[in-house]
Each structure stands twice: as structure tokens, then as C-alpha cells.
């Protein structure tokens, strides 16, 4: 199982929490292939990772300088080194439940080979912080608990979320990976998978994230 984790200018405490969250996954370490993807000139993030002395299954991928400097471009670079039959994307602040990979494997094994992607739900662990975080939580709850399951039932292409989408690596490569110039590369990939005749299903598992707590941080995001 390959895990792609694109990182950029992440604080040291975020990196430390990320390493703990990934280390807590209930999956055989020898079958994990974790790529921590960093821009080659993002020395602070790279140094923070090295300071944590991550386990052997975690590898730093250096993205060479050059346009575009986007998340999908970084993921495409790492995809060239992916060794897993299956692949998932997580963000730096993600806290997936420990059993999520096992649930995804079980659903893939029970599904047709044309099921190329499983989208896990997302929600916010700091939903009670203020009005803004509550609104974020309401939006995600509606999207992942109502909207996407409805699209699945109606056999309508599912626009993926930016994280916790589990994919068959071979199918991802067949459709060309991600569009490096697209800032909504996740939604684009979901539609492209459908165009190539693949199915996307909703995975009954929820990854927790941290919502922006100020209007300024939301605007920057």
C-alpha cells in the first residue's frame, strides 16, 4: 500500500503529529510504502521530517524546482516511485482511523476490477472551536454523508475530495495520474476515472482534519 503525503512549509509540530498518525495505522509495516513529498528547496520541512527519525517505510521524495509548483505535480513525481498495488493520498494534518487501509483493501477485494477508487469521508476534529469551524463541519457532513453516497447510488461520476481517496495504482497510471496544472485535480480525477469506465465507491471510514479557525487562514487556504 503506497501512501502519498504532499507537504509544503509544514510546522515541526504538524510533522511530528503526522509521523505519529501514520505510524498508528494498523497495517503490516513491510507492506507500507509511505512517500513524504517535499519541494526540494523546502529545507525546513525536510529537516523537520529528518528530526523525527521516521521509520524505514517512510521515504522523502524531493520534487525538483520548476513550474507548476502544485500538489498534483508533486503527487505525479511520487507516483513514479510508488510500489503499492493500492495507493492513498493524505494531507499533513490528516488523522485517518488506524483500520482505514484494511477496510479499503476488504472493499476492493469484494468489488469489481472496474472499481478503481474508494473515497473515505472527511470531517473536522475542531468543529466546536467557533462558528467558522462549525460551518466547515456542516459542509463536510453534507458532502460526504449525503451528496457523495447519493451520486454513488445514482451511478453518477463522483468528484473526489483532496485526500483519503484510495486508488488502484494501475488504474491511476492508466488514466494519466493527476493534471499538474489543475487546482481541483481531485475532482478532475474523479470525472476522468468515470470517463475511462471506472467506478468510484464511498468508503465507510472517516478521516479527521483540522479546519481553519480564522477568516485569514481560510482565505489563504
Amino acid at each position: 500500500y503506497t501512501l502519498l503525503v504532499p507537504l509544503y512549509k509544514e510546522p515541526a509540530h504538524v510533522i511530528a503529529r503526522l509521523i505519529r498518525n501514520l505510524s498508528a495505522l494498523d497495517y503490516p509495516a513491510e507492506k507500507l510504502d509511505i512517500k513524504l513529498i517535499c519541494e526540494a528547496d523546502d529545507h525546513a520541512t525536510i529537516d523537520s521530517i529528518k528530526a523525527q527519525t521516521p521509520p524505514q517505510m517512510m521515504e522523502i521524495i524531493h520534487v525538483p524546482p520548476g513550474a507548476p509548483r502544485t500538489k498534483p505535480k508533486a503527487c505525479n513525481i511520487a507516483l513514479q516511485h510508488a510500489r503499492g498495488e493500492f495507493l492513498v493520498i493524505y494531507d499533513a494534518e490528516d488523522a485517518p482511523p488506524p483500520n482505514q487501509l484494511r477496510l479499503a483493501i476488504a472493499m476492493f477485494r469484494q468489488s469489481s476490477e472496474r472499481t478503481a477508487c474508494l473515497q473515505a469521508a472527511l470531517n473536522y476534529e475542531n468543529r466546536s472551536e467557533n462558528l467558522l469551524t462549525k460551518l466547515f463541519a456542516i459542509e463536510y457532513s453534507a458532502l460526504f454523508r449525503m451528496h457523495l453516497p447519493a451520486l454513488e447510488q445514482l451511478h453518477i461520476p463522483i468528484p473526489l475530495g483532496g485526500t483519503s481517496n484510495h486508488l488502484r495504482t494501475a488504474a491511476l497510471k492508466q488514466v494519466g495520474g493527476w493534471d499538474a496544472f489543475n487546482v481541483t485535480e481531485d475532482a478532475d480525477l474523479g470525472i476522468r476515472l468515470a470517463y475511462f469506465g471506472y467506478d468510484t465507491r464511498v468508503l465507510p471510514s472517516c478521516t479527521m482534519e483540522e479546519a481553519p479557525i480564522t477568516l485569514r487562514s481560510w482565505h489563504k487556504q
Side-chain angles (χ1 to χ4, degrees), residues 21 36 61 95 111 144 147 155 166 196 204:
N21 289 338
L36 305 176
I61 298 293
S111 302
F144 289 103
H147 186 60
H155 303 288
H166 299 253
F196 277 83

Side-chain angles (χ1 to χ4, degrees), residues 87-107:
L87 177 151
V88 62
I89 291 187
Y90 290 127
D91 285 340
E93 70 275 14
D94 282 356
N99 67 342
Q100 188 173 98
L101 300 185
R102 290 185 181 273
L103 288 175
I105 287 286
M107 183 173 277

Side-chain angles (χ1 to χ4, degrees), residues 15 45-54 60 62:
I15 294 297
T45 300
I46 294 171
D47 290 345
S48 292
I49 295 171
K50 291 179 178 178
Q52 294 295 318
T53 57
I60 300 175
H62 298 83

Side-chain angles (χ1 to χ4, degrees), residues 14-178:
V14 171
I15 294 297
R17 185 176 60 196
L18 171 67
I19 300 296
R20 289 196 302 270
N21 289 338
L22 296 180
S23 299
L25 290 170
D26 178 21
Y27 206 78
E30 68 274 12
K31 293 188 176 183
L32 282 176
D33 171 39
I34 300 177
K35 309 298 189 188
L36 305 176
I37 314 167
C38 302
E39 296 290 332
D41 57 0
D42 185 6
H43 304 296
T45 300
I46 294 171
D47 290 345
S48 292
I49 295 171
K50 291 179 178 178
Q52 294 295 318
T53 57
Q56 188 174 3
M57 74 276 199
M58 298 186 190
E59 174 189 7
I60 300 175
I61 298 293
H62 298 83
V63 180
R69 291 173 70 101
T70 60
K71 175 181 175 180
K73 176 202 169 181
C75 288
N76 281 336
I77 296 291
L79 179 59
Q80 300 173 34
H81 305 279
R83 295 184 289 112
E85 178 185 359
F86 301 98
L87 177 151
V88 62
I89 291 187
Y90 290 127
D91 285 340
E93 70 275 14
D94 282 356
N99 67 342
Q100 188 173 98
L101 300 185
R102 290 185 181 273
L103 288 175
I105 287 286
M107 183 173 277
F108 272 126
R109 297 303 189 205
Q110 295 165 6
S111 302
S112 156
E113 287 291 324
R114 300 309 295 175
T115 298
C117 183
L118 307 175
Q119 174 66 67
L122 304 174
N123 219 310
Y124 294 110
E125 58 192 4
N126 62 333
R127 66 181 69 189
S128 300
E129 184 122 359
N130 57 33
L131 176 60
L132 185 62
T133 62
K134 289 177 182 177
L135 291 173
F136 271 116
I138 290 171
E139 179 187 20
Y140 263 17
S141 294
L143 175 63
F144 289 103
R145 295 183 184 181
M146 298 172 63
H147 186 60
L148 295 192
L151 293 180
E152 179 186 5
Q153 290 297 315
L154 294 170
H155 303 288
I156 294 174
I158 292 179
L160 301 179
T163 175
S164 298
N165 24 75
H166 299 253
L167 296 134
R168 295 185 190 272
T169 306
L172 176 61
K173 290 181 177 179
Q174 182 190 349
V175 304
W178 294 270

